[in-house]
Amino acid sequence: MKIRTCQFAALVMLLCANFGLAQEPSKEMERFNAEVGTWDCEVRMFGEDPSKKPEISKGSETVWMLGGMWQVSHFKGEMMGMQFEGSGQTGFNPETKKYTGTWVDSTSPYAMATEGTWDEKTQTFTQQGTGKDATGNEVKMKMTSVYNKDGSRLFTMSGAMPDGKEMKMMEIHYTKSKSGGAKSATTK
């Protein structure tokens, strides 16, 4: 399997070089370079009753850039008392002028597709996502990441409830790992 993957990659690189198919990374993706590395995460899960305290757990995320065109992240931690792992990819679509992405994790056989925008003034990345819940019904999510001056960021995810009201489901506070964890390479 490894040989086939390497052969395919070599063929793609040859075609791109010979036919000018390779594109340069967009300036819109440069802002994600600051996220390369390992992050400590504090996760807060919220239930339907807003008066109850959120469930808090820890995790870590490793982020790298793929060819300068895609940010790839891998999250490991615990959520709702279970081991949890997930992976996301984010890129910039030059035709729609929006960020696009996917998210998959260890709790669902369904992928979430996202589309988003960056607000330079508020330092906020906002995404809308569409996926499926455990019963296979389509679910719409809103995710925001607010970037703080100290380098940390706060991710918030909310979703529409059956009654149509939006409910905050989760927050993740990201801070750069001080443990020096695995360094992530930026590939170009």
Side-chain angles (χ1 to χ4, degrees):
M1 185 67 164
K2 239 183 190 179
I3 293 172
R4 287 185 184 157
T5 302
C6 290
Q7 289 170 335
F8 178 74
L11 178 61
V12 169
M13 289 173 57
L14 180 65
L15 288 171
C16 289
N18 287 335
F19 296 103
L21 299 175
Q23 294 187 13
E24 291 295 315
S26 67
K27 65 177 176 45
E28 289 83 1
M29 288 305 292
E30 289 175 6
R31 65 159 317 285
F32 288 108
N33 289 333
E35 293 181 34
V36 170
T38 302
W39 296 80
D40 295 325
C41 307
E42 181 180 273
V43 181
R44 294 174 184 251
M45 299 293 292
F46 298 89
E48 290 185 44
D49 183 352
S51 67
K52 290 188 176 179
K53 290 187 177 189
E55 181 180 311
I56 299 173
S57 62
K58 302 285 182 187
S60 66
E61 181 185 54
T62 303
V63 178
W64 64 96
M65 296 299 287
L66 184 63
M69 293 196 203
W70 291 93
Q71 178 199 58
V72 181
S73 67
H74 189 83
F75 180 93
K76 275 185 155 183
E78 189 177 291
M79 287 191 191
M80 300 178 290
M82 301 181 309
Q83 290 298 308
F84 179 87
E85 212 168 327
S87 184
Q89 302 79 36
T90 302
F92 185 77
N93 184 327
E95 293 175 8
T96 64
K97 305 291 186 216
K98 293 194 177 200
Y99 292 91
T100 60
T102 59
W103 173 262
V104 294
D105 62 51
S106 59
T107 66
S108 174
Y110 305 109
M112 180 187 298
T114 63
E115 187 174 76
T117 58
W118 170 252
D119 184 326
E120 186 67 33
K121 185 177 181 180
T122 63
Q123 296 290 294
T124 303
F125 182 48
T126 303
Q127 302 172 82
Q128 304 294 326
T130 304
K132 291 187 178 187
D133 65 15
T135 63
N137 291 320
E138 188 174 275
V139 177
K140 295 196 181 292
M141 301 287 190
K142 178 181 179 185
M143 293 143 298
T144 59
S145 294
V146 177
Y147 292 76
N148 302 310
K149 290 182 181 181
D150 66 1
S152 68
R153 68 186 190 277
L154 179 65
F155 170 86
T156 304
M157 182 172 77
S158 56
M161 296 293 97
D163 63 4
K165 290 183 182 175
E166 193 172 288
M167 182 185 102
K168 179 164 59 172
M169 302 170 143
M170 175 175 46
E171 286 181 349
I172 305 176
H173 186 143
Y174 293 87
T175 54
K176 274 284 190 165
S177 178
K178 291 181 176 51
S179 67
K183 299 286 183 201
S184 298
T186 300
T187 60
K188 291 199 180 196

